[in-house]
Amino acid sequence: MAQTSKPAVRVDVRNIGGIDEASVTLPDGVSILTGRNATNRTSFLQALMAGLGSRQSSLKGDAEEGEVNLELGDETHTRTLQRRGDSISFGGDPYLDDPELADLFAFILENNEARRAVARGDDLREIIMRPIDTDSIDAEIRECKRERDSLESEIEKIDDLERDLPDLEADRREKVEELEAAQEELEAVREELDELDADIEESRTRKEELEEAFQRVHDARSKLDDLKFELETEHSTLSELKSEREELQETVEAAEDPDENPDRLAGRIDELRRRKRSLDNEINELGSVIGFNEDMVDGSGIDIDEGMPDDDPTDALTAGDQTMCWTCGSEVETDQIEATLDRFRELRSDKLDEHNEIRAEIQELTDRQSSVREEQREIERAEERLDAVGTEIESTESRIDDLEERLESKQDEIKELEEKAESTDVDGYNEALEQHREANGIELRIERLEDEIDEIDGEIEEREAAIERREDLKAEREELADRMTELRTRVDRIEENAVEGFNEHMETVLDILEYGNLDRIWIERREIEVREGRRKVTRTRFDLHIVRSSPDGTAYEDTVDHLSESEREVTGLVFALAGYLVHDVHETVPFVLLDSLEAIDSDRIACVVDYFRTHADYLVAALLPEDAVALPDEYAHVETID
């Protein structure tokens, strides 16, 4: 961690564990809480945990409320505890809003979950991955996939447009050639008309009358052409609408009622969520109960009356195989209390397993509910569109009927106008009439070709603009693909880093501690198939492997059960440290707290503390006096907590 000096931490405690009142100042670096059992070292660590945000702390046995004040530099944090029946209510403004990471990987007391999981030989993946919000990662992956599919669809449309572009350009060239030929043809007809006009002597009035007749015919033909185009467009629209109606009818007829009712699924999801919340409370309460009773077992939570003998109070209460029950006041077997604690721990472990199963079932039901609702929405959209298409077909057919009537009327009008123009009896103008009629037709054809060329030019411009935009869309698609890959591999990387971190640190620590025939302790990451609800899914599992050497030097694999207590405790500590590093817990809380190291000999404790101190600004360890003497004098030693 950082090498610069950090401010000292002042901790004021009242009514926590076995502490009435105490104030302790901890410098940065390593602080050793040294003393015999029942000297409130564990209680102080729990008080420090409470000030930092943990809920794994207990009130003094005869107190209804307690408090921790934590001063860290310019910051002051207060945590209050209040008894509520059989549970404890936490309040105030602790250092952490969410203590989950710290509880797992920074507060490494005897009942630390990461540490105990190793001791029990549990699947270690659940501990390492618990702080990762995989639900939000999955949701982001689904959103990225939707965006990517949309982009791919748009890119495919642009590809189709590009493939059609040569045909459009060829069509344009043909239209331009037709236009040029029509313009040449019109020019020739106009030259012939000019010659006819030069040979014919006609009064200006008569000539203008004839030209007006030609113009009326031209205008009527132009309108007729427009009507034909409109009619053709409406017929095309009608054909498309009828095809769409057939497809929609097939979709609606083929649709089946969903197997499940989304409202019933919602009810089941709500029921599971209520159960999950109830389990959260039960797990927290069990944690508090276990923590409190563990304090009482090791003596840190017992309030010793002044009237007790002068001998060590813990020895007095735990003499022989019996002790006084702090719940009912009777004497009970110590083993019976330990057995009860083990049942509590097993119950909490079972609750955690049920909690994980319920979370998986909620996700599965939520996905199914979304799928069913989407199917229903698709059917509803198809039915709504089917009704709309039926209405559009009726409107289109009505417009077609109207256009056909107008077309027929316009054809009759043109016929009358042509007959009127032809009835004009002027010598030489019959030929002129034919020429004007031909010129009129050519002009209409030229106008239509010019409109078609303009329309093609517009399509070409739109397609070229879309093609230019395609590279940007491809870049967006690549970014989304990279993001999806990053999200999908994020969990894998965390798992790989956790395994690599543990294996690396375990190898280093084993080299330092020199455990005789213990060659290697390592985690294997492997994939297994598990059932979630009604489906099988692939999950990863972390298995702990032990490699030993026999007296003749032969290596063989052993199990966690065969580790010595000291080896098992060191393995649990290093696993928690690996989690601390993998999850960058130092960025969240700059503390590592250590307790219950008695199973490790003093020289090895000194090595473990020396190794851990490089990874946190503040390391606080509770040690027996004979273990504390093996640590350097440069560390801060706290011998009394008052």
Side-chain angles (χ1 to χ4, degrees):
M1 294 303 133
Q3 300 299 315
T4 57
S5 178
K6 302 294 181 181
V9 179
R10 178 181 172 86
V11 186
D12 296 321
V13 185
R14 182 171 60 83
N15 290 339
I16 303 296
I19 300 174
D20 288 322
E21 287 192 16
S23 294
V24 177
T25 300
L26 304 172
D28 66 330
V30 178
S31 295
I32 305 300
L33 309 179
T34 179
R36 308 307 308 175
N37 288 331
T39 53
N40 290 328
R41 292 171 302 137
T42 299
S43 293
F44 176 76
L45 289 178
Q46 289 187 348
L48 180 54
M49 288 166 54
L52 291 170
S54 177
R55 299 172 62 88
Q56 297 182 16
S57 304
S58 59
L59 276 170
K60 192 168 181 292
D62 59 355
E64 293 300 315
E65 50 86 25
E67 184 177 42
V68 180
N69 285 307
L70 183 69
E71 293 183 15
L72 180 57
D74 296 332
E75 298 181 8
T76 299
H77 299 276
T78 300
R79 193 69 187 275
T80 59
L81 288 76
Q82 190 165 6
R83 198 178 301 281
R84 302 286 189 189
D86 295 331
S87 63
I88 296 174
S89 173
F90 291 82
D93 177 30
Y95 184 86
L96 298 172
D97 293 328
D98 183 359
E100 183 172 43
L101 269 175
D103 279 334
L104 284 173
F105 305 118
F107 304 153
I108 315 176
L109 277 59
E110 183 179 17
N111 62 340
N112 171 266
E113 276 199 71
R115 194 171 167 180
R116 293 302 96 202
V118 171
R120 293 190 300 267
D122 294 348
D123 173 14
L124 303 181
R125 181 192 179 277
E126 193 279 329
I127 297 294
I128 282 289
M129 299 306 296
R130 189 184 300 171
I132 306 302
D133 186 1
T134 54
D135 290 342
S136 66
I137 293 176
D138 291 340
E140 188 172 354
I141 288 174
R142 289 194 295 272
E143 180 60 28
C144 287
K145 186 177 184 302
R146 281 194 291 270
E147 292 181 20
R148 185 202 61 186
D149 291 345
S150 176
L151 286 172
E152 285 183 346
S153 176
E154 193 170 351
I155 290 170
E156 287 176 3
K157 289 179 182 177
I158 293 174
D159 290 341
D160 292 338
L161 293 177
E162 186 179 36
R163 283 192 290 270
D164 294 341
L165 195 55
D167 293 338
L168 272 176
E169 291 172 341
D171 192 18
R172 185 185 186 283
R173 287 194 295 272
E174 291 178 5
K175 298 294 183 185
V176 170
E177 290 173 1
E178 287 183 38
L179 177 61
E180 291 173 349
Q183 288 172 335
E184 291 176 1
E185 186 180 352
L186 179 61
E187 185 63 26
V189 171
R190 283 176 174 168
E191 288 177 0
E192 292 179 10
L193 277 172
D194 290 341
E195 291 176 3
L196 284 173
D197 287 343
D199 294 340
I200 298 174
E201 294 182 359
E202 173 86 35
S203 68
R204 183 176 299 276
T205 302
R206 193 62 174 233
K207 185 177 180 179
E208 289 176 354
E209 180 182 338
L210 188 58
E211 288 176 346
E212 288 175 1
F214 288 148
Q215 186 60 45
R216 284 193 293 273
V217 172
H218 174 275
D219 293 342
R221 284 186 176 278
S222 178
K223 291 180 180 178
L224 178 66
D225 207 31
D226 291 340
L227 287 171
K228 287 180 178 179
F229 180 76
E230 287 184 42
L231 184 59
E232 182 181 346
T233 301
E234 292 294 344
H235 274 299
S236 176
T237 300
L238 181 62
S239 176
E240 292 174 359
L241 287 171
K242 286 182 176 179
S243 296
E244 184 180 0
R245 181 174 62 183
E246 290 177 3
E247 292 176 1
L248 289 169
Q249 286 173 337
E250 290 176 1
T251 300
V252 171
E253 291 171 1
E256 298 179 357
D257 291 334
D259 296 334
E260 295 173 296
N261 186 312
D263 293 332
R264 283 199 295 271
L265 287 173
R268 176 58 178 158
I269 290 169
D270 288 341
E271 178 184 340
L272 288 171
R273 284 176 175 160
R274 286 193 297 271
R275 177 56 183 159
K276 181 173 174 288
R277 286 193 294 270
S278 175
L279 282 172
D280 288 336
N281 293 332
E282 291 176 15
I283 290 168
N284 288 332
E285 289 175 2
L286 280 170
S288 297
V289 170
I290 291 169
F292 170 76
N293 283 278
E294 286 174 339
D295 290 345
M296 300 303 290
V297 168
D298 67 23
S300 61
I302 300 177
D303 186 18
I304 305 300
D305 293 328
E306 294 180 358
M308 292 296 294
D310 293 337
D311 296 334
D312 186 286
T314 303
D315 293 340
L317 283 176
T318 59
D321 296 328
Q322 291 191 326
T323 187
M324 182 178 294
C325 177
W326 42 87
T327 302
C328 64
S330 62
E331 287 191 356
V332 294
E333 296 290 335
T334 305
D335 290 344
Q336 184 179 349
I337 295 177
E338 290 289 354
T340 301
L341 267 176
D342 287 340
R343 287 197 295 274
F344 276 136
R345 295 185 187 108
E346 290 174 5
L347 177 60
R348 188 171 188 272
S349 178
D350 292 341
K351 297 289 185 183
L352 284 170
D353 291 341
E354 184 182 356
H355 180 279
N356 292 333
E357 290 174 2
I358 288 176
R359 182 170 59 184
E361 187 176 356
I362 288 172
Q363 182 60 52
E364 180 188 0
L365 291 175
T366 301
D367 291 342
R368 279 160 49 193
Q369 182 189 47
S370 299
S371 176
V372 169
R373 283 179 171 165
E374 182 58 29
E375 290 175 6
Q376 289 180 333
R377 283 194 292 269
E378 287 180 2
I379 294 172
E380 290 171 359
R381 285 194 292 266
E383 291 174 342
E384 290 173 0
R385 180 57 187 159
L386 187 59
D387 292 340
V389 166
T391 302
E392 289 180 29
I393 287 175
E394 292 177 1
S395 299
T396 303
E397 288 175 339
S398 175
R399 289 195 297 274
I400 288 174
D401 292 341
D402 180 61
L403 284 170
E404 287 176 343
E405 291 178 3
R406 290 167 60 192
L407 188 67
E408 185 178 352
S409 174
K410 185 58 67 176
Q411 287 172 335
D412 292 341
E413 180 185 346
I414 290 170
K415 185 177 180 181
E416 291 177 3
L417 290 171
E418 286 180 340
E419 290 175 354
K420 184 175 181 181
E422 290 173 0
S423 67
T424 304
D425 188 14
V426 179
D427 292 339
Y429 270 83
N430 286 331
E431 186 178 353
L433 177 62
E434 290 300 324
Q435 294 289 355
H436 274 290
R437 183 179 293 150
E438 184 177 355
N440 181 251
I442 295 171
E443 287 172 349
L444 290 174
R445 181 151 44 96
I446 288 172
E447 290 177 5
R448 177 59 62 200
L449 285 169
E450 288 174 341
D451 289 342
E452 290 176 355
I453 290 171
D454 288 341
E455 185 177 339
I456 292 173
D457 285 341
E459 284 191 48
I460 290 174
E461 288 177 7
E462 288 179 5
R463 291 171 189 240
E464 288 176 342
I467 291 169
E468 289 179 3
R469 194 174 70 256
R470 180 173 55 190
E471 293 307 314
D472 293 336
L473 295 176
K474 285 183 177 180
E476 288 183 40
R477 182 183 63 184
E478 292 305 314
E479 289 178 4
L480 284 170
D482 291 343
R483 178 59 178 161
M484 289 170 63
T485 300
E486 191 275 330
L487 289 169
R488 283 169 174 160
T489 58
R490 181 181 172 195
V491 173
D492 289 338
R493 285 200 308 273
I494 292 171
E495 292 179 353
E496 291 168 359
N497 290 342
V499 171
E500 182 181 350
F502 175 85
N503 293 339
E504 176 184 333
H505 290 290
M506 194 70 246
E507 182 179 4
T508 302
V509 171
L510 285 180
D511 288 342
I512 293 172
L513 301 183
E514 299 179 349
Y515 276 105
N517 69 340
L518 188 58
D519 294 343
R520 187 183 179 202
I521 299 178
W522 59 288
I523 288 176
E524 177 191 15
R525 177 177 176 265
R526 63 187 181 91
E527 291 187 346
I528 59 172
E529 271 196 354
V530 298
R531 181 171 294 279
E532 284 190 359
R534 293 184 295 178
R535 60 179 180 175
K536 283 188 176 181
V537 297
T538 301
R539 291 284 182 265
T540 51
R541 177 183 172 89
F542 292 176
D543 291 331
L544 196 66
H545 295 275
I546 315 296
V547 178
R548 291 188 181 277
S549 293
S550 60
D552 62 2
T554 304
Y556 65 94
E557 186 161 325
D558 205 347
T559 64
V560 175
D561 295 337
H562 294 163
L563 288 175
S564 69
E565 188 176 2
S566 174
E567 292 167 341
R568 192 176 302 179
E569 289 299 333
V570 168
T571 303
L573 290 172
V574 175
F575 176 68
L577 176 62
Y580 187 90
L581 299 176
V582 167
H583 290 292
D584 295 319
V585 183
H586 68 277
E587 296 179 358
T588 303
V589 57
F591 285 83
V592 169
L593 310 184
L594 300 176
D595 191 17
S596 300
L597 306 182
E598 292 81 2
I600 309 172
D601 62 82
S602 58
D603 289 336
R604 286 184 171 127
I605 289 175
C607 292
V608 169
V609 170
D610 184 63
Y611 187 71
F612 270 55
R613 72 183 178 86
T614 61
H615 299 293
D617 293 332
Y618 303 89
L619 188 147
V620 186
L623 300 178
L624 294 171
E626 56 267 29
D627 293 328
V629 296
L631 276 71
D633 292 337
E634 66 188 63
Y635 295 162
H637 287 252
V638 180
E639 297 182 356
T640 58
I641 297 174
D642 53 23

